[in-house]
Amino acid sequence: MAVWGANDEIFGPAGARAFQRDLPDAEIHLIESGRFALESHLEEIAGYIRDFLARVTA
């Protein structure tokens, strides 16, 4: 799983899509954020992480 800032100017969305090319089952979430997504979208990202871990560790 990757949660990625859709507006990240250093590592843009193409980087997330590259993961999906290498790992077709990869789960990609592009959020409306820039480089420091955890600072501005912590709760949203934590939700994706919690959901992912609940599904893959069950």
Side-chain angles (χ1 to χ4, degrees):
M1 181 192 70
V3 180
W4 212 276
N7 303 313
D8 188 329
E9 294 179 10
I10 298 173
F11 296 104
R17 293 183 189 106
F19 281 121
Q20 213 161 30
R21 281 193 303 272
D22 293 339
L23 301 166
D25 293 334
E27 184 175 315
I28 306 297
H29 300 279
L30 296 175
I31 61 172
E32 287 303 315
S33 178
R35 181 81 185 125
F36 299 101
L38 281 173
E39 290 182 12
S40 59
H41 292 76
L42 176 61
E43 291 302 317
E44 182 179 358
I45 294 169
Y48 283 121
I49 293 169
R50 283 188 205 103
D51 179 62
F52 178 79
L53 290 176
R55 287 184 285 116
V56 299
T57 61

